Amino acid sequence: NAGVTQTPKFQVLKTGQSMTLQCAQDMNHNSMYWYRQDPGMGLRLIYYSASEGTTDKGEVPNGYNVSRLNKREFSLRLESAAPSQTSVYFCASILTFDYGYTFGSGTRLTVV
Amino acid sequence: DQQVKQNSPSLSVQEGRISILNCDYTNSMFDYFLWYKKYPAEGPTFLISISSIKDKNEDGRFTVFLNKSAKHLSLHIVPSQPGDSAVYFCAASAENGNTGKLIFGQGTTLQVKP
Protein backbone atom coordinates (compact mmCIF):
# COMPACT_ATOMS: atom_id res chain seq x y z
CA ASN A 1 0.00 0.00 0.00
CA ALA A 2 1.27 3.46 -0.89
CA GLY A 3 2.08 5.69 2.03
CA VAL A 4 4.61 6.47 4.74
CA THR A 5 6.16 3.54 6.62
CA GLN A 6 7.83 3.98 9.99
CA THR A 7 9.92 1.42 11.86
CA PRO A 8 9.93 0.38 14.61
CA LYS A 9 6.42 0.93 15.98
CA PHE A 10 7.52 0.64 19.60
CA GLN A 11 10.90 0.98 21.33
CA VAL A 12 12.18 1.13 24.88
CA LEU A 13 15.64 2.58 25.40
CA LYS A 14 17.82 3.10 28.42
CA THR A 15 19.18 6.58 29.07
CA GLY A 16 22.32 7.10 27.00
CA GLN A 17 21.54 4.49 24.36
CA SER A 18 21.32 5.43 20.71
CA MET A 19 18.89 4.44 18.00
CA THR A 20 17.66 5.38 14.56
CA LEU A 21 14.01 5.74 13.59
CA GLN A 22 13.41 4.83 9.99
CA CYS A 23 10.92 6.42 7.60
CA ALA A 24 10.23 5.63 3.97
CA GLN A 25 7.60 6.91 1.52
CA ASP A 26 6.70 5.48 -1.86
CA MET A 27 4.66 8.40 -3.19
CA ASN A 28 7.55 10.24 -4.87
CA HIS A 29 7.11 13.14 -2.45
CA ASN A 30 9.85 15.76 -2.35
CA SER A 31 9.55 16.95 1.25
CA MET A 32 9.74 14.92 4.45
CA TYR A 33 9.34 15.82 8.13
CA TRP A 34 9.85 14.47 11.61
CA TYR A 35 7.44 15.55 14.36
CA ARG A 36 7.05 14.52 17.97
CA GLN A 37 3.75 14.46 19.81
CA ASP A 38 3.56 15.02 23.54
CA PRO A 39 0.44 15.32 25.73
CA GLY A 40 -0.91 18.88 25.74
CA MET A 41 1.74 20.03 23.24
CA GLY A 42 0.36 19.02 19.88
CA LEU A 43 2.92 18.07 17.23
CA ARG A 44 6.25 19.85 17.16
CA LEU A 45 8.65 19.82 14.22
CA ILE A 46 12.07 18.30 14.92
CA TYR A 47 13.74 18.35 11.50
CA TYR A 48 12.63 18.50 7.91
CA SER A 49 13.97 17.93 4.42
CA ALA A 50 12.41 20.20 1.83
CA SER A 51 14.06 18.26 -0.97
CA GLU A 52 16.51 15.40 -1.46
CA GLY A 53 19.95 16.43 -0.24
CA THR A 54 18.76 19.15 2.13
CA THR A 55 17.88 19.07 5.82
CA ASP A 56 16.95 21.85 8.24
CA LYS A 57 16.15 22.25 11.91
CA GLY A 58 12.63 22.64 13.12
CA GLU A 59 11.25 23.83 16.42
CA VAL A 60 12.85 21.21 18.73
CA PRO A 61 16.03 19.81 17.09
CA ASN A 62 18.27 19.43 20.15
CA GLY A 63 19.36 15.84 20.79
CA TYR A 64 18.49 14.66 17.30
CA ASN A 65 20.15 14.24 13.93
CA VAL A 66 18.66 13.34 10.56
CA SER A 67 19.71 11.87 7.24
CA ARG A 68 17.88 12.16 3.95
CA LEU A 69 19.33 8.99 2.49
CA ASN A 70 17.55 9.34 -0.86
CA LYS A 71 14.22 10.68 -2.07
CA ARG A 72 12.31 7.87 -0.33
CA GLU A 73 14.01 7.67 3.06
CA PHE A 74 14.43 10.11 5.95
CA SER A 75 15.86 8.79 9.21
CA LEU A 76 15.95 10.33 12.68
CA ARG A 77 18.79 9.48 15.07
CA LEU A 78 19.00 9.84 18.82
CA GLU A 79 22.69 9.71 19.73
CA SER A 80 22.26 9.60 23.51
CA ALA A 81 18.65 9.11 24.53
CA ALA A 82 17.21 11.05 27.47
CA PRO A 83 13.91 10.57 29.34
CA SER A 84 12.74 13.92 27.90
CA GLN A 85 12.75 12.25 24.48
CA THR A 86 9.99 9.87 25.52
CA SER A 87 7.33 10.66 22.96
CA VAL A 88 5.45 9.49 19.90
CA TYR A 89 7.37 10.28 16.73
CA PHE A 90 5.67 10.85 13.40
CA CYS A 91 7.22 11.03 9.97
CA ALA A 92 5.33 12.85 7.22
CA SER A 93 5.75 13.76 3.57
CA ILE A 94 4.07 16.02 1.03
CA LEU A 95 4.02 16.34 -2.73
CA THR A 96 2.50 19.79 -2.87
CA PHE A 97 1.48 21.81 0.11
CA ASP A 98 -2.16 22.17 -0.87
CA TYR A 99 -2.84 18.53 -0.13
CA GLY A 100 -1.50 18.39 3.39
CA TYR A 101 0.87 15.88 4.87
CA THR A 102 0.68 12.13 4.63
CA PHE A 103 1.75 10.81 8.04
CA GLY A 104 3.15 7.47 9.07
CA SER A 105 1.52 5.55 11.91
CA GLY A 106 4.14 6.64 14.44
CA THR A 107 6.88 5.23 16.66
CA ARG A 108 6.17 5.16 20.39
CA LEU A 109 9.52 5.63 22.16
CA THR A 110 10.07 5.29 25.89
CA VAL A 111 13.41 6.23 27.45
CA VAL A 112 13.93 4.89 30.96
CA ASP B 1 4.89 30.75 23.21
CA GLN B 2 2.02 28.81 21.66
CA GLN B 3 1.31 30.41 18.29
CA VAL B 4 -1.61 28.11 17.53
CA LYS B 5 -4.02 27.38 20.36
CA GLN B 6 -6.93 25.02 20.73
CA ASN B 7 -8.33 26.06 24.07
CA SER B 8 -10.89 23.27 24.38
CA PRO B 9 -9.20 19.96 25.16
CA SER B 10 -12.43 18.04 24.59
CA LEU B 11 -15.89 18.32 23.08
CA SER B 12 -18.88 15.99 23.29
CA VAL B 13 -21.84 16.19 20.90
CA GLN B 14 -24.84 14.06 20.00
CA GLU B 15 -24.94 12.17 16.74
CA GLY B 16 -26.61 14.24 14.03
CA ARG B 17 -25.84 17.56 15.67
CA ILE B 18 -23.20 20.09 14.66
CA SER B 19 -19.66 19.89 16.05
CA ILE B 20 -17.70 23.14 16.17
CA LEU B 21 -14.00 22.97 16.90
CA ASN B 22 -12.14 26.21 17.46
CA CYS B 23 -8.58 27.38 16.94
CA ASP B 24 -6.88 30.72 17.65
CA TYR B 25 -3.54 31.95 16.39
CA THR B 26 -1.25 34.84 17.22
CA ASN B 27 1.04 35.15 14.18
CA SER B 28 -0.48 37.49 11.57
CA MET B 29 1.98 36.11 9.00
CA PHE B 30 0.22 32.74 8.87
CA ASP B 31 -1.16 32.36 5.35
CA TYR B 32 -2.43 28.79 5.20
CA PHE B 33 -4.40 26.72 7.69
CA LEU B 34 -5.15 23.01 7.85
CA TRP B 35 -7.15 20.59 9.98
CA TYR B 36 -6.04 17.03 10.69
CA LYS B 37 -7.91 14.17 12.33
CA LYS B 38 -6.19 11.52 14.41
CA TYR B 39 -7.45 8.16 15.64
CA PRO B 40 -5.63 6.32 18.46
CA ALA B 41 -2.49 4.44 17.38
CA GLU B 42 -2.62 6.01 13.92
CA GLY B 43 -0.95 8.98 12.28
CA PRO B 44 -2.95 12.17 11.68
CA THR B 45 -4.81 12.38 8.39
CA PHE B 46 -5.38 15.56 6.42
CA LEU B 47 -8.99 16.76 6.55
CA ILE B 48 -9.42 20.21 5.04
CA SER B 49 -7.46 23.41 4.47
CA ILE B 50 -8.01 27.10 3.82
CA SER B 51 -5.87 29.87 2.39
CA SER B 52 -5.76 33.23 4.10
CA ILE B 53 -7.31 34.84 1.02
CA LYS B 54 -10.55 32.96 1.71
CA ASP B 55 -12.95 33.00 4.63
CA LYS B 56 -14.66 29.68 4.04
CA ASN B 57 -13.91 26.29 2.52
CA GLU B 58 -16.35 23.41 2.37
CA ASP B 59 -15.84 19.70 1.71
CA GLY B 60 -18.86 17.51 2.25
CA ARG B 61 -19.79 17.54 5.94
CA PHE B 62 -16.73 19.60 6.85
CA THR B 63 -16.48 23.38 6.61
CA VAL B 64 -13.63 25.56 7.81
CA PHE B 65 -14.20 29.24 8.55
CA LEU B 66 -11.42 31.79 8.85
CA ASN B 67 -11.77 35.15 10.61
CA LYS B 68 -8.47 36.92 10.03
CA SER B 69 -9.34 40.03 12.01
CA ALA B 70 -9.99 37.87 15.06
CA LYS B 71 -7.16 35.44 14.22
CA HIS B 72 -9.62 32.61 14.63
CA LEU B 73 -10.62 29.60 12.62
CA SER B 74 -13.22 26.95 13.22
CA LEU B 75 -14.12 23.55 11.85
CA HIS B 76 -17.81 22.68 11.52
CA ILE B 77 -18.91 19.08 11.13
CA VAL B 78 -22.55 18.66 10.09
CA PRO B 79 -24.07 16.23 10.79
CA SER B 80 -21.72 14.66 13.32
CA GLN B 81 -21.29 10.88 13.18
CA PRO B 82 -19.83 8.44 15.75
CA GLY B 83 -16.97 7.74 13.33
CA ASP B 84 -15.94 11.40 13.68
CA SER B 85 -14.83 10.70 17.25
CA ALA B 86 -11.10 11.48 17.17
CA VAL B 87 -8.53 14.11 18.08
CA TYR B 88 -8.57 17.14 15.78
CA PHE B 89 -5.51 19.30 15.26
CA CYS B 90 -5.42 22.68 13.57
CA ALA B 91 -2.17 23.74 11.96
CA ALA B 92 -0.80 26.86 10.31
CA SER B 93 1.98 27.84 7.93
CA ALA B 94 3.72 31.18 7.53
CA GLU B 95 5.93 30.35 4.57
CA ASN B 96 3.61 30.27 1.60
CA GLY B 97 4.22 26.56 1.21
CA ASN B 98 7.92 26.98 0.44
CA THR B 99 9.05 24.54 3.11
CA GLY B 100 5.84 22.88 4.23
CA LYS B 101 6.62 23.55 7.89
CA LEU B 102 3.54 23.62 10.10
CA ILE B 103 2.76 24.86 13.61
CA PHE B 104 0.19 22.65 15.30
CA GLY B 105 -2.30 23.34 18.05
CA GLN B 106 -2.60 21.06 21.09
CA GLY B 107 -5.59 19.17 19.72
CA THR B 108 -9.25 18.78 20.69
CA THR B 109 -10.74 15.38 21.42
CA LEU B 110 -14.20 15.08 19.87
CA GLN B 111 -16.64 12.47 21.12
CA VAL B 112 -19.82 11.92 19.12
CA LYS B 113 -22.41 10.00 21.11
CA PRO B 114 -24.90 7.72 19.33
Side-chain angles (χ1 to χ4, degrees), chain B residues 33 52 68 89 93:
Chain B
F33 304 88
S52 60
K68 286 195 296 182
F89 292 99
S93 169

XYZ file of all heavy atoms in Angstrom, chain B residues 33 52 68 89 93:
43
model
N -3.947 27.428 6.498
C -4.400 26.717 7.691
C -4.963 25.362 7.299
O -5.609 25.231 6.258
C -5.463 27.534 8.430
C -5.000 28.916 8.804
C -5.150 29.971 7.917
C -4.413 29.155 10.036
C -4.711 31.249 8.250
C -3.966 30.424 10.374
C -4.120 31.471 9.477
N -5.402 31.984 3.414
C -5.757 33.230 4.103
C -6.509 34.213 3.216
O -7.051 35.201 3.704
C -4.491 33.906 4.652
O -3.601 34.212 3.611
N -9.830 36.409 9.884
C -8.474 36.923 10.027
C -8.379 38.065 11.021
O -7.388 38.196 11.741
C -7.933 37.367 8.662
C -7.560 36.223 7.760
C -6.703 36.687 6.595
C -7.442 37.631 5.698
N -6.638 38.060 4.542
N -6.568 18.322 15.138
C -5.506 19.301 15.260
C -5.678 20.378 14.193
O -5.890 20.057 13.021
C -4.130 18.660 15.051
C -3.710 17.702 16.131
C -3.859 16.333 15.958
C -3.149 18.167 17.310
C -3.461 15.438 16.946
C -2.746 17.282 18.303
C -2.911 15.917 18.115
N 0.695 27.639 8.589
C 1.982 27.844 7.926
C 2.176 29.327 7.648
O 1.226 30.022 7.304
C 2.030 27.084 6.607
O 3.158 27.484 5.848
